[in-house]
Every structure is written in C-alpha cells, then in structure tokens.
Amino acid sequence: MKRKKVPMRMCIGCKEMKPKNELIRIVRTTDGKIEIDPTGKKSGRGAYLCKNDKCIEASMRENQLSKALDFRVTKEMVLNIKEELLNS
C-alpha cells in the first residue's frame, strides 16, 4: 500500500517546518479580512502558525504576519486571533 505524502509548512513564528495538520492557517480574504482558516482551504493569501502563544507573539514582534499576508496586521487583529485560538 502506498503512503500519502504529508504536506509540510513553515511556521512564521518559530521558522520550523512541521506537518500542515499541526499548524493553524491565518488567511487574508479577498475582501481584506484576517481570519483563522480551520479547514486550510479558504481562498486568499495564507500564513501558518504553531498552536502556541510564543509563535503568535514572535510573528507579531518581528512583523512576520504582516509580511506573509502582504497586509498591515494591527495589534487588535492579532489579539482577536489569539483569543479565538485560546477558546478553540
């Protein structure tokens, strides 16, 4: 039986390559909203983060989320993302 290849993605916070299903996709939709994409299939520009606070903080501190999404991400947007991740 043939094994499926596991897609790898890089976390923009810690810069580690991890399997796609272990990361969270943050997406900038076509109408300019920043959302969490639990399915990983929403259309728009996406970036991947580990499921911990350190990576979220690092991505904001180094402005990596804004660069990856090609969009100015405010601190309020990051706080909303953080709250959603902690509640889920």
Side-chain angles (χ1 to χ4, degrees):
M1 192 165 169
K2 204 173 188 184
R3 283 195 168 172
K4 262 189 158 179
K5 183 179 176 187
V6 177
M8 302 291 281
R9 300 291 185 262
M10 182 185 289
C11 171
I12 60 171
C14 63
K15 306 282 193 264
E16 288 184 26
M17 293 294 286
K18 296 187 178 183
K20 183 179 174 181
N21 60 359
E22 291 180 13
L23 300 172
I24 299 167
R25 183 171 186 248
I26 309 295
V27 66
R28 175 187 49 117
T29 59
T30 53
D31 59 345
K33 293 180 183 175
I34 305 294
E35 301 174 353
I36 294 176
D37 181 10
T39 62
K41 297 181 181 181
K42 279 188 181 178
S43 64
R45 184 154 178 101
Y48 292 87
L49 283 169
C50 294
K51 298 176 183 176
N52 61 41
D53 288 340
K54 292 179 184 178
C55 288
I56 296 169
E57 291 293 328
S59 70
M60 185 58 188
R61 187 173 43 247
E62 297 172 13
N63 211 19
Q64 290 298 321
L65 192 57
S66 294
K67 290 176 186 174
L69 296 176
D70 198 25
F71 184 78
R72 187 175 177 277
V73 180
T74 63
K75 289 186 179 184
E76 291 81 28
M77 291 177 181
V78 173
L79 291 174
N80 290 338
I81 290 169
K82 210 185 222 186
E83 284 180 28
E84 285 184 50
L85 291 177
L86 293 176
N87 293 334
S88 60

